[in-house]
């Protein structure tokens, strides 16, 4: 039985000065690097969107960032353009020790579907392949860190708990966007799903 550290979206665009900057997003990186040595497997995720992605406010005529739209899979927050495939903003933050990664999962490549979770796209049915990988490697315990607590970290943690993993989110190694109460509701939803929330 193995454990894995999932490092969610520690990319330039989610760090200060990035296109969708998360406050203090870069302050967690040294601690994340140190944590990598304590797990059997390190997984990194990378938000990886085409320029015309339907989660971008710029894909609509009368929308601005943080407005919402109804997609075929439900409500979707609209974001500033971020993590465009191949751009500097999509790269891992230079301080992140990405060479420790056993596997890198890229997500959000389908222009019609956003993908917060490391396991399923936002349609809740299209898998990323991570569950198969972790099953094959006999991983049962997952610890999640990274950006942003209230979106990609929370969605990944809740999906993992539903899939039967024992899941811990290390809040001291995660930071939130916290738009319109999103952090509070994400914390509630994670607790209800049985995700352990720890600060150290
Ligand atoms: C994320 C919004 C849009 C995240 C990604 O990594 O939490 N949030 N794309
Ligand atoms: Zn995104």
């Amino acid at each position: 039985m193995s454990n894995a550290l999932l490092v969610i979206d520690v990319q330039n665009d989610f760090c200060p000065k990035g296109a969708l900057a998360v406050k203090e997003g870069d302050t967690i990186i040294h601690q994340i690097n140190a944590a990598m040595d304590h797990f059997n497997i390190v997984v990194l995720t990378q938000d990886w969107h085409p320029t015309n992605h339907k989660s971008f406010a710029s894909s609509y005529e009368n929308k601005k960032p943080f407005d919402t739209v109804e997609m075929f899979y439900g409500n979707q927050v609209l974001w500033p353009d971020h993590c465009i495939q191949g751009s500097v903003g999509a790269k891992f933050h230079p301080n992140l020790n990405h060479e420790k990664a056993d596997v890198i999962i890229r997500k959000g490549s389908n222009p019609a579907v956003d993908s917060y979770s490391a396991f399923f796209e936002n349609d809740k049915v299209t898998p990323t392949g991570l569950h198969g990988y972790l099953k094959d490697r006999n991983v049962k315990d997952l610890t999640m860190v990274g950006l942003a607590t209230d979106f990609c970290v929370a969605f990944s943690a809740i999906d993992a708990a539903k899939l039967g993993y024992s899941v811990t989110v290390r809040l001291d190694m995660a930071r939130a966007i916290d738009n319109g109460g999103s952090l509070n509701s994400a914390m509630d939803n994670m607790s209800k799903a049985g995700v352990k929330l720890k600060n150290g």
Side-chain angles (χ1 to χ4, degrees):
M1 201 173 103
S2 298
N3 59 27
L5 180 68
L6 257 71
V7 181
I8 308 288
D9 297 0
V10 179
Q11 293 166 259
N12 289 326
D13 270 344
F14 297 121
C15 289
K17 299 200 175 122
L20 180 42
V22 179
K23 201 171 161 232
E24 299 179 352
D26 56 343
T27 63
I28 57 177
I29 299 174
H30 288 294
Q31 213 187 334
I32 292 174
N33 287 339
M36 290 177 180
D37 291 331
H38 300 287
F39 291 85
N40 303 119
I41 289 170
V42 174
V43 177
L44 306 183
T45 68
Q46 196 169 20
D47 214 35
W48 196 250
H49 298 306
T51 48
N52 61 342
H53 200 266
K54 282 283 186 266
S55 77
F56 294 169
S58 64
S59 297
Y60 305 81
E61 271 190 9
N62 300 309
K63 297 287 183 191
K64 53 186 192 309
F66 304 102
D67 287 349
T68 57
V69 287
E70 279 306 310
M71 305 276 258
F72 72 90
Y73 51 79
N75 200 264
Q76 170 72 48
V77 180
L78 297 178
W79 305 107
D81 292 16
H82 65 279
C83 297
I84 306 276
Q85 296 170 357
S87 69
V88 173
K91 284 191 192 302
F92 293 117
H93 188 283
N95 292 348
L96 184 72
N97 193 353
H98 63 270
E99 292 181 0
K100 285 259 171 72
D102 293 287
V103 61
I104 297 173
I105 295 284
R106 287 181 169 158
K107 59 186 180 62
S109 302
N110 180 345
V113 186
D114 208 1
S115 190
Y116 295 148
S117 164
F119 293 92
F120 295 101
E121 296 188 348
N122 286 12
D123 64 7
K124 300 285 180 205
V125 294
T126 308
T128 62
L130 180 58
H131 183 43
Y133 174 84
L134 295 173
K135 269 197 299 203
D136 283 350
R137 302 293 299 264
N138 203 23
V139 175
K140 304 281 193 250
D141 289 303
L142 298 179
T143 295
M144 311 222 179
V145 301
L147 306 169
T149 314
D150 42 348
F151 288 94
C152 290
V153 175
F155 274 64
S156 299
I158 291 165
D159 278 350
K162 284 185 187 155
L163 289 168
Y165 296 94
S166 165
V167 186
T168 301
V169 169
R170 281 286 300 263
L171 297 168
D172 54 326
M173 289 188 254
R175 290 294 184 274
I177 294 171
D178 200 10
N179 176 60
S182 56
L183 181 57
N184 273 339
S185 59
M187 298 285 271
D188 261 14
N189 293 337
M190 287 193 283
S191 297
K192 284 185 190 129
V195 174
K196 293 179 274 287
L197 301 169
K198 293 195 182 159
N199 258 305

